[in-house]
């Protein structure tokens, strides 16, 4: 390897970007099982792969432009910087996903040091180098390196501050500095020389002077956009984006001139063109979106929509396109070896570029979920194909270096791109069609009789505008002349909740976020048709729609009125091998008086009894949610992040707050911060308060906050048990709201799973003092907590001692209504197995049963 040129294999230069890209593919494939997948995907690409590549290749170009080759000492320094950067990025990703803020801070500090070190070396290089025609490119790199520490610092604060509107403003500032500054300035400065090099043409005259004029414009634009968000002046942010577009316009002439001189003909050039189009297009669209937003909450929704498009269309595509040209050069070995690697990386280049960008365009529109998933798969496949092609390129390069023959290049025919475009668009159209079919098949599970009912079509069309809000459709009845074609224009007018419209002929609008719309072509209507919102509980609350065929058949189909009855649960069965019971121990009381916690609402499918699975709605993936523990006077700051597909909320009984804001329903992707001070002792329920509340609690969204009484004595063992009911839908399904309304539970359980503590008993020793906190989460059944074979000498109910360790008095059960709680204390006098139950015995037989295993 030529150590002065840096060519050949260099592990710390070449391997990390492959790791980050591979990790991106894995997370994309496994995203339903990964916490915060959207954030993770964006940061694996931009903070991981792109930032690493910036440190590598900006220094590579600086050396070339300033004629400063790399020596052994500098190579070791670069390796240390790259190691520091990648370890820092790994810590940031781990800290944010695992909600460990100090790990995030440590990682951010490492990233800042690595990039600051990199920028300092570039400044020193500029000062000592001879004047160069394109030294301005290195000044772009210095400016970008100066901006990233600011963006990273804002990102660290962003991970801590979740309350709106500050969270949104920090998000806009963070993204503006990192995307437009760190990545944008580096990319634009590099393309001044790299773009004509890739096209194999001359640099346009005046390109360097345009670059010098554009740099201060772009730098002021980035700072203005970020400052506008931080000081709450959205007009300044919009002006910053417009100024940035003007700066790009100053550079555009040189880029266009080079492309006219020699049009793009390979994958790297196609990708770079597409990346710039996405960059400018998204920035222009953001200007429009921010200009029409009336609140920072609307800005959040629109900014969130564009960020993945910028990450994929601009960030990922820019990276892959640049690497497709640069890696063969870095591998070296002479013109033949470079050409061999380039040929492999250019395989099906036009097809990959057209398919990826066509699918991204589809994803940019409000298409059905199944279509978006299929097109996202096309984008992922097109981008991920770079990794196996990279392996083949390295092998081809090595083969040529050893004297072998390289791959045959594809002939450069005039219609090559045209054919690739046709095939690429065909791939995208196939993905769209497959998505439509999948959506129809999914709706087909409830598809019934055709709405036409054999009537002769009149050729006329009736258009009905329907809004969904306040658990009603407006209007709730649509009259259509029999034989007319009906088109429903549906708008979700709720500000918080998700809705849809399902018809008894199987048509489905798809889930609509607040403010979203859908158009449903019902077709010819010859009979009455029933419609409803399929979001759990909404139909039961009256969210139904009737389509009346005037002069047609009057008998409307009943839709999905048939309940999903689950077969009888065999509670005598044992859980499968590897089963682990929900941890019943009371969490240790933390020393601080301010407790910060982020709760993620997630939909998970898991067992609730041996062989019985349900799709549960959870706080942090468990039922019940995490138990919080504090003292009187402690402050709690809970950030709620909704990662599910419908609206949810949270209500803490442990605090006293007006419900209007902190208990509001937040849509998918939304967040809120709930602060309260614990002023009274007890075990307090928290739960989702979105209507119908009974369904949200019954499907898993509840937990407990334990606030110790001031004079609470220590004990040997402290346990927490939450009793709740399960109304089973089909296996793997959600709560059966018909059973819920009839109050016919299939299971009554402690801590979310039937009889789990018979399989894995609670432990105690003879003579130990045991405290059991008990909460009845309901939503409907009362509880009478009892330990068979023992007596309670201390009981505490709803903030008051009802029995306190007397020599003569005792208690046999703790009676609780839904949402009530307390604790009992007892001491076991001899070893054995002591069952604990709800002494409403039918509920004990439904699964509210467990065991204490007492030893000497």
């Amino acid at each position: 390897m030529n150590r002065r040129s840096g060519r050949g294999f260099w592990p710390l230069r070449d391997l990390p970007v492959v790791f980050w890209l591979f990790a991106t593919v894995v997370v994309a494939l496994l995203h339903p099982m990964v916490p915060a997948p959207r954030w993770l995907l964006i940061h694996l690409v931009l903070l991981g792969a792109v930032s690493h590549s910036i440190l590598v290749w900006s220094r590579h170009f600086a050396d070339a432009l300033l004629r400063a080759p790399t020596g052994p000492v500098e190579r070791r320094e670069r390796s240390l910087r790259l190691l520091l950067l990648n370890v820092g990025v790994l810590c940031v990703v781990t800290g944010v996903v695992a909600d460990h803020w100090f790990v995030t801070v440590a990682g951010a500090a490492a990233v800042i040091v690595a990039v600051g070190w990199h920028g300092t070396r570039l400044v020193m290089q500029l000062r000592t180098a001879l004047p160069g025609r394109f030294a301005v490119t290195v000044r772009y790199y210095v400016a970008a390196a100066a901006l990233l520490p600011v963006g990273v610092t804002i990102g660290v604060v962003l991970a801590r501050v979740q309350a709106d509107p500050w969270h949104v403003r920090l998000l806009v500032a963070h993204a503006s500095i990192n995307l437009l500054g760190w990545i944008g300035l580096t990319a634009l400065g590099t393309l001044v020389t790299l773009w004509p090099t890739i096209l194999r043409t001359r640099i346009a005259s005046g390109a360097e002077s345009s670059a010098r004029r554009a740099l201060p414009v772009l730098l002021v634009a980035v700072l203005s956009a970020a400052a506008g968000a931080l000081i709450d002046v959205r007009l300044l942010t919009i002006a910053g984006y417009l100024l940035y577009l003007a700066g790009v316009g100053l550079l555009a002439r040189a880029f266009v001139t080079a492309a006219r001189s020699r049009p793009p003909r390979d994958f790297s050039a196609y990708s770079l063109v597409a990346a710039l189009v996405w960059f400018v297009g998204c920035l222009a669209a953001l200007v429009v979106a921010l200009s029409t937003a009336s609140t920072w909450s609307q800005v959040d929704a629109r900014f969130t929509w564009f960020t993945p498009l910028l990450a994929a269309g601009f960030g990922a595509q820019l990276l892959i396109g640049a690497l497709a040209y640069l890696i063969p050069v870095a591998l070296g070995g002479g013109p033949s070896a470079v050409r061999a690697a380039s040929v492999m990386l250019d395989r099906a280049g036009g097809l990959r570029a057209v398919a990826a960008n066509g699918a991204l365009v589809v994803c940019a529109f409000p298409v059905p979920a199944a279509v978006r998933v299929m097109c996202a798969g096309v984008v992922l496949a097109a981008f991920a194909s770079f990794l196996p092609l990279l392996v083949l390129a390295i092998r081809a390069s090595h083969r040529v270096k050893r004297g072998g023959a390289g791959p045959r290049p594809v002939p450069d025919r005039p219609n090559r791109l045209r054919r690739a475009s046709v095939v690429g668009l065909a791939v995208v159209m196939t993905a769209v069609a497959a998505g439509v079919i999948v959506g129809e098949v999914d709706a087909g599970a409830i598809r019934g009789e055709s709405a036409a009912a054999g009537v002769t079509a009149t050729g006329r069309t009736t258009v009905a505008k329907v809004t969904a809000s306040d658990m009603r459709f407006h209007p709730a009845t649509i009259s259509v002349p029999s034989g007319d074609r009906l088109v429903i224009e549906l708008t979700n007018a709720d500000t918080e909740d998700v809705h849809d419209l399902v018809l008894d002929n199987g048509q489905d609008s798809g889930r609509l976020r607040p403010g979203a719309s859908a158009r449903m072509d019902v077709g010819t209507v010859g009979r009455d048709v029933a419609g409803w919102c399929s979001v759990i509980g909404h139909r039961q609350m009256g969210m139904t729609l009737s389509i009346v065929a005037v002069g047609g058949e009057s008998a409307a189909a009943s839709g999905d009125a048939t309940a999903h009855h689950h077969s009888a649960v065999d509670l005598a069965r044992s859980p499968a091998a590897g089963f682990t019971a929900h941890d019943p121990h009371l969490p240790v009381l933390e020393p601080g008086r301010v407790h910060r916690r982020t709760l993620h609402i997630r939909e998970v499918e898991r067992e609730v009894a041996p062989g019985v699975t349900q799709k549960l709605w959870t706080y942090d993936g468990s039922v019940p949610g995490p138990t919080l523990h504090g003292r009187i006077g402690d402050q709690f700051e809970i950030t709620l992040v909704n990662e599910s597909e419908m609206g949810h909320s949270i209500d803490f009984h442990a605090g006293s707050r007006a419900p209007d804001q902190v208990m509001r329903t937040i849509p998918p992707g939304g967040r809120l911060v709930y602060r309260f001070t614990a002023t009274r002792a007890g075990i307090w329920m928290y739960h989702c308060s979105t209507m119908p509340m009974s369904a949200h609690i019954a499907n898993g969204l509840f937990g407990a906050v334990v606030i110790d009484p001031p004079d609470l004595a220590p004990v040997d063992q402290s346990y927490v048990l939450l009793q709740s009911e399960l109304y089973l839908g089909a296996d793997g399904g959600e709560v059966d709201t018909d059973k819920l309304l009839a109050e016919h539970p299939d299971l009554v359980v402690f801590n979310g799973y039937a009889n789990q503590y018979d399989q894995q008993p609670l432990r105690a020793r003879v003579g130990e003092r045991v405290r059991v906190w008990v909460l009845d989460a309901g939503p409907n059944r009362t509880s009478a907590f009892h330990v068979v074979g023992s007596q309670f000498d201390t009981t505490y109910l709803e903030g008051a001692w009802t029995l306190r360790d007397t020599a003569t008095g005792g208690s046999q059960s703790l009676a609780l209504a839904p949402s009530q709680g307390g604790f009992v204390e007892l001491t076991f006098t001899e070893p054995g197995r002591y069952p604990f139950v709800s002494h409403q015995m039918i509920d004990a037989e439904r699964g509210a049963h467990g065991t204490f295993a007492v030893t000497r």
Side-chain angles (χ1 to χ4, degrees), residues 111 113 394 485 572 574:
V111 171
V113 170
I394 294 172
R485 169 173 167 255
S574 297

Side-chain angles (χ1 to χ4, degrees), residues 161-223:
V161 177
Q162 296 290 326
D164 288 335
W166 262 111
H167 184 90
V168 181
R169 288 158 54 189
L170 288 168
L171 174 64
V172 172
H174 170 69
S176 298
I177 290 176
N178 288 353
L179 275 170
L180 306 185
W182 170 238
I183 299 175
L185 288 180
T186 303
L188 294 171
T190 301
L191 288 174
V192 171
T193 55
L194 180 62
W195 177 238
T197 303
I198 289 175
L199 295 178
R200 296 172 179 84
T201 187
R202 292 184 177 183
I203 299 174
S205 62
E208 63 273 26
S209 59
S210 296
R212 281 194 295 271
R213 291 196 303 271
L215 179 57
V217 174
L218 294 168
L219 191 55
V220 170
V222 172
L223 296 175

